[in-house]
Amino acid sequence: MKFIYNKIALGLLVMITGAACKKDYLQTTPTDQVATETAFSSTKNAWAALNGIHRTMYSQIFGVQAQGGQSGNMLYMDVLGEDMVFNTSSNNWLLPEYRWVRHRDATSSMLYYNYQFYYVIIGNANMILANIADAEGPDADKAAIRGQALAYRAWAYFQMVQLFGERYVPGGQNSSLAVPLVLEPKDTPTPRNTVAEVYEQINIDIDEAIAALEGYKATNKSHLNVNTAQGIKARVALVQGDWATAVSSARAARVGYTLMSNDQYLAGFNNYDNPEWIWASRIQSDQTSYFYSFFAYMSANYSSTVIRTSPKSISSTLYNTISQTDVRKGLWDPTGKDATFPTPTSTSIRAPYMSRKFKVADPSLSIGDVPYMRAAELYLIEAEALARSGDNVGAAQTLYTLAVNRDPGYVLSTNAGEALINEILLQRRVELWGEGFRFYDLKRTNSALDRTGANHNASYANGVLEVPANDARWQFLIPQDEINFSNGVVVQNPQ
Amino acid sequence: MQKLVQSLLFLFLFVGSAYAQERTITGTVTSKDDGLPMPSVSIKLKGSSTLSQTGSNGSYSIKVPGAGSSVLVFSYVGYAAQEVNVGNRTTINLTLVPDQNQLNEVLIVAYGTANKNTYTGSSAQIDNKDFENRPITNVMSAVAGSAPGIQATSSDGAPGSTPGIRIRGFGSISASNDALYVVDGSVYDGNISNIDPADIESISLLKDAATAALYGSRAGNGVVLITTKKGKAGRQTLNFKATTGWVSRGLPEYERVDAFQYYPLMWETLRNSLSYGSSRIPLDVAGGIAAGTITNYNGNNYTGVKSLLGYNPFNVPDNQIVSAEGVMNPNASLLYADDLDWAEQAAQGGKKRQNYAMSYSGGSEKTDYFGSLGYTNDEGYLINSSLKRFNGRLNINTQPVTWFSTGLNLNGTYSKSQYDNVDDAGGTSFINPFYISRMIAPIYPVHLHDASGKLVLDASGQPQYDFGDGRPFASGRHTIYENLNDRQNQVRGAISARTFGSIHILPGLKATAKLSFDIQDTQDRTYDNPNVGDGAPSGRAYQYLYRTTSYTFSQLAEYNKRFDKHNLQVLAGHENYSYKYNYLSGSRSGIIVDGITELVNFATVLGTSSYEDNATIDSYLSRVSYDYDAKYLFSGSFRRDGNSKFSPSVRWANFWSLSAGWNINREEFFQAKWVDQLKLRGSYGVLGNDGGLGYYPYQALYDLGRNNQAEAGIIQRSLANPELTWETSKNFDVGVDFSLFSGRLGGSLEYFKRKTDGLIFEVEQPLSNGGTYNSGNFTVPMNIGSLYNAGAELTLTGQIVKGRAFSYSTTLNLTSFKNKITKMPSNVPLIISGTKAYSVGHSIYDFYLREYYGVDPENGDALYKTNTLTNNTRVIGQDTLTNVLGEANYRYSNASAIPDLYGSMMHNFSYKNFSLGVQFTFQTGGKVYDGNYASLMHGGSYGTALHVDALNRWSNPGEVTSVPRLDNGQVSSFAGASSRWLIDASYFQLNNVTLNYTLPASWIGAIKAQSASIYVSGDNLTLFSKRKGMFPGTSFNGTVGNNYNFSRTIAVGVNVNF
């Protein structure tokens, strides 16, 4: 009998071993992620949330190459224009965009990227704006974080409204649909707002950003300081035809930045220590974006297939307008035979008018700094705005400052009116070639796409050499996913 | 060990001999099957511990008491046990009869075993003998076609790959549809390919609530119980098994045009693009431009189709390949006709499969043991895809004293594999050889050739690969070179341990503590060469270490009581489960010295990272089973789970089942003698499904490590959903099991209804609400609705011929089921997902696509049905049509990926020493969205292969055809996703044929073997589907990809027992 008790005791022992779990046994948390509450518990953490946006500017986006952060948009904007020429169709990267196919295909990844990339930035900015007030930390930090989030949001909407909306017509109603204005974290779909409404919000945000960033000293150029915010405001004003604001903001934006030397101009556009650069990403080796990098598509010397086989050229028409004494003339090789132009390998294709504007900083890694805003652009904005507002003298003088820096033989322009505006726009095309402005500028100025008469091969372009101004194709389609996932709350553009 | 067991055995015999006045009974046991003597038959004196067994010649001797009536019990697995009254005989010769109807078969069930006769649940059990001679390296390959209610994808051709299994339809959309895997009583977190099929005794598939409810929150999709071999009392066996096989590609390629057809088609593409596109060049001029004979028109420069394709594989000048009218130059011949087949050159793997296994097992009354060693070498037909696996297992159970028993089951595995670049989804990466070889146009050579077509040799005289910088498709990439020169090596080590201790407190009452522990370490080492591909231009290397550890600790009390005709079994206990996943990675680029791919040999650090994930479950469980005279059967089970994946407010829930059965044939009134068994059974219960959700699906999180230069950065990763909880599966099952004519005809007919409430769906959020930098818009897992799977299953087994020399049996399995969504969120009644949409009244695999109408005979435009009027629409008959894909509206296509009926048939023939098994699977009805075909019917992407159906394209006004105009500018509109790509999913597949020859006793006597057989077996021998190259069994949801096509394997083997 006693043995039975022993066995019962043993049995009970077996049953209770480990039977009681600790109270927190079921509470698990990840180790490579933090809770949203933690992310905004202090300004120190909120700075990290802002740095995450800076990093997104040069991250591999959505698994589609050529979309290495903001540089993807830059590439698309140039290949859609007439100043960048394809020398072969053997490489498909950017070719359908060159043919004006992808931004009119609602299911293309190019459209998804140009929409969702900016909404990722807006979403993260909205999280900061919604939570920063309650974070522990100095008010100065909160203002600097908030100001940058606002500037990002204004900039992202500005990038998008120009693509997905109809062209902004200064003085017009601008009542056609653009993109949904989402201004706080939310989980319900938002219908599209009008072009006018989106610009209104952009202006509210950028003005608040400028106020909040007053006095903030950025530790490097990947941060958005008051100059960057003013530069964004100048760009917006130029599109909206607000010439006075464009002038004043452009001037304010470039305070503290000087034009680069001619030697620096030929150094490869890969280093944000350049005194002229205002806003840029710096990519270091353990943050490489591999073949997504801007330099894997646009540089002269990185050994990617697309560079080896399809070097990017300037339009011969545009090249021929550049003066012989202009340092920029040396960025392109009209012969396609100049051995001093770098190529990634000895068997790489050379083509007439090919570029060496961009050179990869680290050829083993495809990386280099990517410019988003330079002082030169602000001179051009200021000059154009002055010219369009009738101040020919002021415009010519502003243009002179930039142009003579690039071309010692440049003489002060005596043009006026349309002729002066055209001269400024031509300078703009040469100066900003390859930096992602051309489609925006064509649409902004209501110009037709005209690739005829230059070195474009019509077979490669699938015959797309001309697109009239105001053609439906100037408006990007809304990604089909947005229409599907908003259950039709977001509607499609005319096709 | 053997010595120990022998001495124990001897001890028993010795004790037996101590009785006074005993006498010795001798005799021979033979089998009714073949009349041959049976070795290792166990003979026991009833009511004592005296036992003996037959020797290799079937003879035995056993001592029995001199007085009183003795009864001897003869037993052997697979044969009906016989009790014999000794009387005053001294010689008893006996013939054992195979237990054909297996009514008393022991079933492996949750937390124990059950007798099939009194079991009230629905499960299917696959025994070792069903697959032991098949050339499989992953045991789940044996499951396809083995039972009704089980749907399986064909395991792909990658060595060691695990096929997908679905039990009774599709209960979930976004959460997992995978069954829970339980190995030797505990949830298994290692890879199923770690287990050597030779070690497996049986696989049980638990299909209904009665069988699965004890696994609670993880059982909603059914449970797969894998049980490994144990030693058997009284039988010592040393087994050797060796198999060697030949592997080849099992699925043929799609039919594609050749180079002579391709060039004129692409000429036509360019001509049409220029003529029908915005530049509106007259057709004849465009024809000349495309041929390369016109190079300037209206002041613009043009080049011909050769400049767009990059390559001229013919012996004629670039502008004479195709005429301005589109006629292929009759004088053209290929320069390198033998170097254009990429698929063939990618299929240069080892193509062999070898398996060697040795096991030793045996046991006594108190102890049983099983030990095995196995080696598998599986080399796929694809270059550099292989698996080498070593397995060892030791399984010992002992009861040293009456009140205590314990056991240890230890499995170690080590494998080395070269894994391929074909991901499970069969994607479109440049290094997927199936994608590239399928889609590359038939004009691009694998190797480098000069202008005359001769191979360009390197310094050492070897042919060089053509990296194709001038190729518009996959330019600058080379899937074969990259697969040969990159490295993707995986080393995996896994240990799986199961141990228990039971205290037998009273007869029928015991308390057991069980501990299970699984650890799996996987090291992946990849190297990308610096010459071409992702590693260019400097080369790079990655190393990853993944460690999965999990344990289950259970405390169980079991009570069995039989009084009179009442039979009661009770189980109660507690269990906690803990899972941990560790990840560590490092990567560097810039190779320093050729040939070394360790990280240290690379110059620049690209990144290092690590993290740990944890998941836990805490549970209480109980089961009560009762039967009266094995006639009326009842069972109920209950489990309460707390699960760390869900927020504290919703993390605990109860799961349960109730079931009952009635063995009608045991009733007094039931007089039909020809009925061996007639059992009615039914069950209902509630199960959960927490699979496929990640570890923290309810939490809103930011990703760490998104630094901007040296500044710490975090970024939004996921949104919160504190209400997220289990999918709840409510399972109803009713069935009848029968066995007739002494086991000549048997089977089951069942009806099931599995209802899932709280259906989890990863709800896609609007893009404008933000997202993540790498995967795009947010998705939030939500419990959005309900669905059910309801259907019928039939299995029939017939012993059609049962002769002494020849016998033939066959088994037919049929399943038909319906899947239907019954509830959706009120604010989103329809959710589009890929080619499907979810809404009430439809199955989760109902296609929802734009509807293709046909081709406009005037201009060759593709026409789609639409419901809006724009400048592009027109009305033909009843239909409003558009030629702009984007304007066509989505609609249900009246097609589902779910077949009307699927099933399998097995045939087993035996004649004297030969036996032949044939198994095939089939399905009828259902549709497949053939995305591969769509890609091959692109209608004008330069450099991409075309299906032969492209020859039917529209080419002249007035022509009536279903294939639109070739036009590069219209590729997205004319060949976009639509109902055009749906095709019947019916198929028939011959899965396996095995021929086995049992060597005669006279032959094997020479080597003193007990038995031996040789066999030849072929897997995946043939397939019939609606389109060559298309296999509906690739996936469950009716899509196909560029998968590692399944392999055909033919193997020969030998199996010897000593």
Side-chain angles (χ1 to χ4, degrees):
Chain A
M1 202 62 204
K2 193 176 163 205
F3 190 41
I4 285 179
Y5 289 132
N6 286 344
K7 285 195 287 186
I8 290 171
L10 272 170
L12 284 174
L13 194 66
V14 161
M15 291 302 294
I16 58 167
T17 46
C21 286
K22 271 192 238 147
K23 221 174 185 181
D24 60 357
Y25 184 69
L26 295 175
Q27 197 59 41
T28 60
T29 50
T31 54
D32 57 340
Q33 293 163 346
V34 289
T36 298
E37 305 83 67
T38 315
F40 295 104
S41 60
S42 67
T43 49
K44 176 169 169 274
N45 290 359
W47 275 115
L50 182 66
N51 287 329
I53 305 182
H54 299 327
R55 172 68 179 277
T56 302
M57 292 291 286
Y58 62 96
S59 290
Q60 300 180 195
I61 303 295
F62 315 143
V64 177
Q65 282 184 18
Q67 298 171 0
Q70 169 58 14
S71 64
N73 175 262
M74 293 162 64
L75 295 170
Y76 293 135
M77 292 304 108
D78 273 318
V79 298
L80 284 166
E82 79 280 43
D83 290 342
M84 189 172 287
V85 173
F86 269 73
N87 291 302
T88 166
S89 66
S90 73
N91 195 290
N92 258 312
W93 286 115
L94 308 175
L95 191 60
E97 286 81 10
Y98 178 63
R99 292 170 175 166
W100 279 54
V101 169
R102 287 283 157 82
H103 71 279
R104 300 292 296 167
D105 171 6
T107 57
S108 82
S109 63
M110 178 266 199
L111 271 189
Y112 184 91
Y113 155 78
N114 276 295
Y115 192 86
Q116 183 74 79
F117 170 66
Y118 293 112
Y119 273 117
V120 169
I121 288 175
I122 290 164
N124 276 280
N126 283 341
M127 287 296 287
I128 292 174
L129 294 172
N131 293 297
I132 187 67
D134 296 332
E136 288 284 327
D139 284 347
D141 281 8
K142 290 187 191 179
I145 295 165
R146 186 168 165 277
Q148 294 191 64
L150 283 164
Y152 265 122
R153 189 165 79 182
W155 171 78
Y157 274 122
F158 177 59
Q159 293 288 104
M160 270 200 291
V161 69
Q162 299 177 84
L163 303 177
F164 296 97
E166 286 181 13
R167 188 181 85 86
Y168 184 88
V169 182
Q173 288 286 314
N174 296 303
S175 56
S176 65
L177 293 178
V179 290
L181 275 176
V182 178
L183 304 173
E184 58 190 6
K186 60 187 288 195
D187 57 8
T188 52
T190 311
R192 293 169 69 184
N193 291 79
T194 65
V195 172
E197 287 166 345
V198 175
Y199 274 98
E200 196 185 329
Q201 185 63 43
I202 290 168
N203 280 300
I204 293 170
D205 282 352
I206 200 67
D207 286 342
E208 275 194 49
I210 289 167
L213 291 171
E214 208 56 64
Y216 162 65
K217 278 203 137 6
T219 49
N220 67 57
K221 287 176 181 174
S222 69
H223 295 207
L224 283 68
N225 58 13
V226 71
N227 300 69
T228 324
Q230 288 284 9
I232 294 166
K233 188 173 167 68
R235 286 176 179 176
V236 174
L238 192 67
V239 172
Q240 290 192 284
D242 180 354
W243 314 126
T245 303
V247 170
S248 60
S249 287
R251 283 179 183 158
R254 68 167 188 263
V255 170
Y257 298 87
T258 57
L259 292 171
M260 66 177 101
S261 70
N262 285 357
D263 282 349
Q264 284 170 316
Y265 209 90
L266 296 173
F269 275 78
N270 58 27
N271 188 341
Y272 78 12
D273 296 332
N274 187 309
E276 189 177 316
W277 290 26
I278 296 171
W279 181 24
S281 289
R282 166 158 287 179
I283 308 176
Q284 60 188 45
S285 69
D286 65 349
Q287 295 166 2
T288 173
S289 52
Y290 302 101
F291 288 97
Y292 292 61
S293 162
F294 182 67
F295 292 87
Y297 296 86
M298 281 300 295
S299 75
N301 58 340
Y302 178 67
S303 184
S304 65
T305 311
V306 62
I307 290 169
R308 289 196 307 274
T309 61
S310 184
K312 300 296 176 290
S313 287
I314 190 171
S315 154
S316 55
T317 310
L318 181 60
Y319 179 81
N320 291 333
T321 66
I322 305 171
S323 121
Q324 287 299 334
T325 49
D326 195 322
V327 63
R328 294 172 298 195
K329 191 119 186 166
L331 294 179
W332 297 280
D333 166 23
T335 65
K337 296 187 170 95
D338 186 343
T340 63
F341 270 64
T343 55
T345 60
S346 59
T347 55
S348 299
I349 288 171
R350 288 180 183 275
Y353 302 100
M354 64 188 270
S355 154
R356 63 174 171 190
K357 178 171 178 176
F358 301 97
K359 285 182 272 195
V360 66
D362 183 343
S364 71
L365 288 174
S366 83
I367 57 178
D369 299 353
V370 185
Y372 306 133
M373 188 183 288
R374 294 192 286 122
E377 182 205 347
L378 298 162
Y379 281 98
L380 289 162
I381 291 174
E382 181 187 333
E384 185 181 338
L386 287 170
R388 289 187 190 276
S389 61
D391 182 354
N392 292 325
V393 175
Q397 192 56 52
T398 305
L399 180 64
Y400 179 79
T401 313
L402 172 70
V404 78
N405 170 282
R406 307 303 192 224
D407 176 7
Y410 182 80
V411 289
L412 184 70
S413 178
T414 54
N415 284 328
E418 262 325 283
L420 180 57
I421 292 170
N422 284 339
E423 187 188 346
I424 294 165
L425 289 176
L426 208 55
Q427 282 281 349
R428 187 176 166 94
R429 284 165 69 184
V430 174
E431 177 65 33
L432 299 176
W433 185 92
E435 292 180 59
F437 289 88
R438 194 55 192 152
F439 179 85
Y440 289 123
D441 281 343
L442 285 169
K443 187 166 174 180
R444 167 173 72 86
T445 56
N446 203 23
S447 307
L449 175 79
D450 183 4
R451 291 164 167 169
T452 61
N455 48 336
H456 289 274
N457 179 326
S459 296
Y460 299 159
N462 232 10
V464 180
L465 295 184
E466 293 174 275
V467 178
N470 280 328
D471 189 281
R473 285 175 284 170
W474 287 97
Q475 199 175 0
F476 280 31
L477 295 184
I478 300 290
Q480 188 67 42
D481 280 350
E482 173 72 330
I483 293 165
N484 291 356
F485 301 156
S486 70
N487 263 55
V489 169
V490 175
V491 295
Q492 187 54 280
N493 281 324
Q495 301 187 53
Chain B
M1 192 68 218
Q2 192 195 356
K3 279 242 164 70
L4 174 72
V5 174
Q6 276 174 344
S7 353
L8 284 168
L9 212 63
F10 187 77
L11 194 67
F12 283 121
L13 293 173
F14 177 77
V15 170
S17 68
Y19 286 103
Q21 286 186 320
E22 56 192 16
R23 57 202 170 106
T24 302
I25 311 292
T26 58
T28 306
V29 180
T30 51
S31 162
K32 181 142 194 267
D33 266 351
D34 46 15
L36 294 172
M38 290 178 69
S40 303
V41 174
S42 140
I43 300 129
K44 191 178 174 188
L45 177 63
K46 199 173 178 181
S48 82
S49 59
T50 308
L51 81 168
S52 174
Q53 65 171 346
T54 55
S56 61
N57 57 359
S59 63
Y60 71 94
S61 78
I62 188 167
K63 293 206 157 78
V64 300
S69 60
S70 300
V71 176
L72 290 180
V73 183
F74 293 75
S75 60
Y76 189 83
V77 172
Y79 288 75
Q82 284 190 40
E83 293 189 3
V84 178
N85 261 316
V86 176
N88 46 20
R89 289 181 286 180
T90 52
T91 304
I92 300 176
N93 294 325
L94 193 81
T95 302
L96 281 183
V97 181
D99 193 356
Q100 292 292 359
N101 56 30
Q102 302 269 314
L103 285 185
N104 293 311
E105 196 180 331
V106 170
L107 294 176
I108 308 293
V109 299
Y111 296 89
T113 57
N115 185 310
K116 191 175 182 183
N117 193 27
T118 56
Y119 193 50
T120 53
S122 176
S123 71
Q125 188 159 320
I126 303 149
D127 291 320
N128 174 276
K129 64 176 167 47
D130 298 327
F131 56 83
E132 66 178 353
N133 288 348
R134 280 182 65 172
I136 54 174
T137 50
N138 187 313
V139 72
M140 294 313 289
S141 302
V143 170
S146 60
I150 313 296
Q151 236 172 318
T153 54
S154 189
S155 58
D156 73 27
S161 63
T162 308
I165 303 290
R166 295 289 178 269
I167 298 177
R168 291 189 164 171
F170 313 99
S172 183
I173 295 174
S174 295
S176 176
N177 271 304
D178 289 334
L180 179 73
Y181 284 83
V182 173
V183 174
D184 288 323
S186 289
V187 170
Y188 183 66
D189 291 304
N191 194 308
I192 290 299
S193 74
N194 290 345
I195 304 170
D196 189 345
D199 280 354
I200 289 171
E201 181 67 36
S202 72
I203 307 161
S204 293
L205 301 146
L206 310 186
K207 299 197 281 190
D208 71 344
T211 52
L214 268 190
Y215 293 104
S217 62
R218 292 172 286 178
N221 294 316
V223 181
V224 177
L225 297 182
I226 293 175
T227 307
T228 59
K229 289 179 177 167
K230 281 169 76 170
K232 292 184 177 65
R235 291 175 71 201
Q236 284 173 48
T237 309
L238 179 65
N239 174 269
F240 286 108
K241 202 178 138 186
T243 311
T244 183
W246 296 267
V247 174
S248 60
R249 176 171 167 155
L251 184 68
E253 186 50 74
Y254 285 81
E255 295 173 280
R256 295 161 302 164
V257 300
D258 65 19
F260 296 94
Q261 296 166 315
Y262 186 75
Y263 237 95
L265 288 172
M266 296 320 287
W267 166 88
E268 192 172 313
T269 299
L270 178 55
R271 182 199 64 169
N272 290 349
S273 307
L274 296 174
S275 193
Y276 291 88
S278 59
S279 50
R280 299 268 158 214
I281 295 172
L283 209 56
D284 56 335
V285 177
I289 291 173
T293 53
I294 298 172
T295 55
N296 194 283
Y297 179 70
N298 272 355
N300 291 319
N301 301 319
Y302 291 89
T303 48
V305 66
K306 190 265 161 182
S307 74
L308 289 155
L309 294 171
Y311 279 56
N312 172 5
F314 302 105
N315 60 347
V316 294
D318 291 355
N319 59 0
Q320 292 174 27
I321 305 168
V322 184
S323 76
E325 290 74 41
V327 178
M328 185 74 206
N329 187 339
N331 299 320
S333 63
L334 285 167
L335 295 170
Y336 30 75
D338 57 346
D339 197 24
L340 297 171
D341 190 341
W342 288 63
E344 217 243 295
Q345 299 202 40
Q348 298 299 323
K351 301 186 191 176
K352 64 179 176 191
R353 189 172 286 184
Q354 292 160 310
N355 195 297
Y356 304 99
M358 180 183 80
S359 66
Y360 182 65
S361 65
S364 66
E365 284 286 276
K366 287 191 173 177
T367 303
D368 62 68
Y369 55 90
F370 172 86
S372 74
L373 282 174
Y375 169 68
T376 299
N377 181 20
D378 190 0
E379 296 181 26
Y381 60 88
L382 186 71
I383 43 182
N384 281 345
S385 70
S386 67
L387 169 75
K388 283 185 172 60
R389 184 179 63 201
F390 302 86
N391 285 87
R393 178 175 296 275
L394 196 60
N395 187 353
I396 301 171
N397 299 289
T398 186
Q399 186 165 5
V401 286
T402 52
W403 58 271
F404 179 67
S405 59
T406 183
L408 177 66
N409 187 347
L410 202 58
N411 174 227
T413 180
Y414 174 80
S415 65
K416 279 167 70 172
S417 58
Q418 293 174 292
Y419 61 96
D420 55 76
N421 282 302
V422 192
D423 58 39
D424 289 344
T428 55
S429 96
F430 289 124
I431 42 176
N432 177 347
F434 293 94
Y435 168 64
I436 297 296
S437 66
R438 173 168 299 139
M439 299 308 298
I440 197 164
I443 58 171
Y444 303 113
V446 176
H447 295 91
L448 210 53
H449 296 262
D450 63 16
S452 68
K454 281 205 198 74
L455 284 169
V456 179
L457 304 178
D458 65 12
S460 55
Q462 292 301 308
Q464 301 176 68
Y465 287 95
D466 180 2
F467 296 163
D469 270 359
R471 216 197 289 133
F473 179 79
S475 58
R477 300 298 297 262
H478 201 294
T479 181
I480 295 173
Y481 179 89
E482 290 177 53
N483 276 283
L484 285 171
N485 289 280
D486 292 350
R487 292 282 170 269
Q488 296 195 97
N489 294 334
Q490 185 174 80
V491 173
R492 176 179 289 159
I495 290 174
S496 180
R498 306 278 183 270
T499 185
F500 72 91
S502 290
I503 309 290
H504 303 259
I505 300 167
L506 292 166
L509 177 65
K510 75 176 172 181
T512 303
K514 277 167 65 177
L515 181 66
S516 304
F517 180 75
D518 293 321
I519 179 165
Q520 174 176 295
D521 273 1
T522 305
Q523 185 191 21
D524 273 4
R525 289 191 284 187
T526 70
Y527 161 69
D528 296 334
N529 79 82
N531 300 319
V532 62
D534 290 333
S538 55
R540 65 186 191 193
Y542 288 76
Q543 289 217 8
Y544 304 89
L545 186 69
Y546 317 98
R547 169 173 290 174
T548 306
T549 36
S550 70
Y551 69 83
T552 304
F553 188 31
S554 355
Q555 308 86 38
L556 303 168
E558 288 166 88
Y559 180 65
N560 297 334
K561 182 73 183 170
R562 182 183 286 276
F563 47 99
D564 202 7
K565 288 179 172 177
H566 305 275
N567 190 12
L568 179 70
Q569 291 171 306
V570 182
L571 168 79
H574 169 262
E575 180 174 290
N576 56 301
Y577 165 80
S578 174
Y579 173 92
K580 185 163 78 177
Y581 178 78
N582 288 91
Y583 170 91
L584 171 68
S585 71
S587 53
R588 294 174 78 125
S589 81
I591 191 164
I592 300 163
V593 178
D594 280 351
I596 298 173
T597 58
E598 289 297 325
L599 294 176
V600 68
N601 188 37
F602 292 77
T604 310
V605 176
L606 294 175
T608 56
S609 187
S610 71
Y611 61 81
E612 176 177 306
D613 282 317
N614 284 287
T616 49
I617 298 177
D618 194 17
S619 318
Y620 300 90
L621 54 96
S622 178
R623 174 173 61 201
V624 178
S625 299
Y626 166 81
D627 71 74
Y628 176 76
D629 195 21
K631 195 188 294 178
Y632 309 112
L633 325 165
F634 302 95
S635 182
S637 54
F638 171 82
R639 178 166 174 138
R640 179 167 173 77
D641 271 356
N643 191 319
S644 69
K645 288 182 185 176
F646 306 106
S647 82
S649 56
V650 293
R651 97 173 16 141
W652 284 93
N654 300 332
F655 306 93
W656 56 271
S657 74
L658 285 173
S659 59
W662 181 24
N663 272 319
I664 303 173
N665 56 302
R666 292 179 70 93
E667 293 287 358
E668 298 286 318
F669 61 78
F670 194 87
Q671 296 298 328
K673 286 285 178 226
W674 49 277
V675 176
D676 317 321
Q677 188 193 26
L678 183 62
K679 180 168 76 179
L680 270 178
R681 57 179 163 81
S683 71
Y684 183 77
V686 174
L687 312 173
N689 178 21
D690 75 340
L693 294 173
Y695 305 107
Y696 323 98
Y698 72 94
Q699 302 181 26
L701 297 167
Y702 265 66
D703 266 343
L704 291 170
R706 299 303 300 166
N707 304 346
N708 173 42
Q709 302 170 57
E711 301 165 334
I714 59 176
I715 195 97
Q716 217 181 350
R717 157 60 43 188
S718 59
L719 304 179
N721 183 6
E723 282 94 50
L724 179 74
T725 185
W726 287 272
E727 289 184 341
T728 308
S729 164
K730 296 171 180 170
N731 290 13
F732 172 74
D733 178 89
V734 59
V736 53
D737 299 333
F738 55 89
S739 172
L740 314 172
F741 315 115
S742 306
R744 291 295 282 266
L745 180 65
S748 298
L749 178 65
E750 285 183 73
Y751 170 81
F752 66 89
K753 185 162 181 178
R754 267 179 80 194
K755 187 171 189 300
T756 307
D757 286 335
L759 194 61
I760 295 170
F761 182 70
E762 288 282 347
V763 180
E764 300 265 10
Q765 300 300 296
L767 276 54
S768 42
N769 286 351
T772 68
Y773 72 94
N774 55 356
S775 54
N777 59 299
F778 285 119
T779 61
V780 176
M782 294 183 187
N783 300 95
I784 61 156
S786 305
L787 63 75
Y788 69 79
N789 292 278
E793 297 171 356
L794 173 71
T795 180
L796 275 179
T797 300
Q799 273 283 340
I800 294 175
V801 182
K802 196 176 169 187
R804 192 172 163 80
F806 177 73
S807 70
Y808 165 50
S809 68
T810 180
T811 298
L812 172 70
N813 293 316
L814 290 176
T815 308
S816 179
F817 73 96
K818 204 162 90 175
N819 175 289
K820 202 173 196 177
I821 296 170
T822 53
K823 188 176 147 223
M824 291 286 291
S826 53
N827 57 337
V828 246
L830 184 126
I831 295 174
I832 299 174
S833 172
T835 53
K836 322 287 184 319
Y838 311 119
S839 69
V840 170
H842 288 274
S843 86
I844 65 167
Y845 292 151
D846 273 9
F847 289 103
Y848 190 76
L849 295 160
R850 289 170 164 136
E851 190 168 337
Y852 184 65
Y853 176 82
V855 172
D856 185 341
E858 288 311 303
N859 54 19
D861 282 0
L863 297 175
Y864 300 93
K865 292 188 184 174
T866 180
N867 60 354
T868 49
L869 288 173
T870 71
N871 294 336
N872 306 312
T873 51
R874 81 180 93 158
V875 176
I876 298 179
Q878 301 287 310
D879 299 305
T880 308
L881 305 174
T882 175
N883 60 352
V884 177
L885 180 79
E887 288 181 352
N889 65 313
Y890 288 87
R891 51 181 85 191
Y892 277 106
S893 303
N894 287 326
S896 166
I898 300 172
D900 299 331
L901 180 74
Y902 68 88
S904 62
M905 256 191 119
M906 277 84 82
H907 299 278
N908 291 297
F909 306 88
S910 68
Y911 176 71
K912 292 192 173 162
N913 284 5
F914 290 94
S915 68
L916 176 70
V918 177
Q919 188 200 63
F920 50 81
T921 56
F922 54 87
Q923 69 177 35
T924 60
K927 290 272 202 268
V928 166
Y929 181 86
D930 192 351
N932 291 343
Y933 178 72
S935 302
L936 288 168
M937 291 294 286
H938 52 77
S941 296
Y942 298 107
T944 308
L946 282 165
H947 195 273
V948 291
D949 289 352
L951 294 167
N952 302 326
R953 84 288 180 200
W954 178 94
S955 47
N956 291 301
E959 204 168 276
V960 176
T961 174
S962 63
V963 183
R965 185 179 75 234
L966 296 170
D967 187 337
N968 181 277
Q970 296 290 343
V971 164
S972 56
S973 193
F974 287 4
S978 76
S979 59
R980 184 181 167 194
W981 312 117
L982 293 174
I983 186 169
D984 192 329
S986 302
Y987 75 89
F988 175 92
Q989 188 175 26
L990 181 58
N991 288 47
N992 177 261
V993 176
T994 300
L995 177 66
N996 186 71
Y997 177 67
T998 306
L999 295 173
S1002 53
W1003 294 14
I1004 60 175
I1007 54 167
K1008 299 211 159 37
Q1010 289 179 11
S1011 66
S1013 61
I1014 54 174
Y1015 54 90
V1016 55
S1017 182
D1019 260 19
N1020 297 328
L1021 295 173
T1022 188
L1023 169 78
F1024 300 97
S1025 72
K1026 288 286 175 181
R1027 180 178 287 131
K1028 192 177 172 193
M1030 188 274 300
F1031 179 43
T1034 310
S1035 67
F1036 298 108
N1037 68 358
T1039 58
V1040 295
N1042 300 295
N1043 302 67
Y1044 195 140
N1045 287 319
F1046 61 80
S1047 45
R1048 173 185 301 157
T1049 311
I1050 295 174
V1052 295
V1054 57
N1055 194 347
V1056 187
N1057 283 306
F1058 292 97

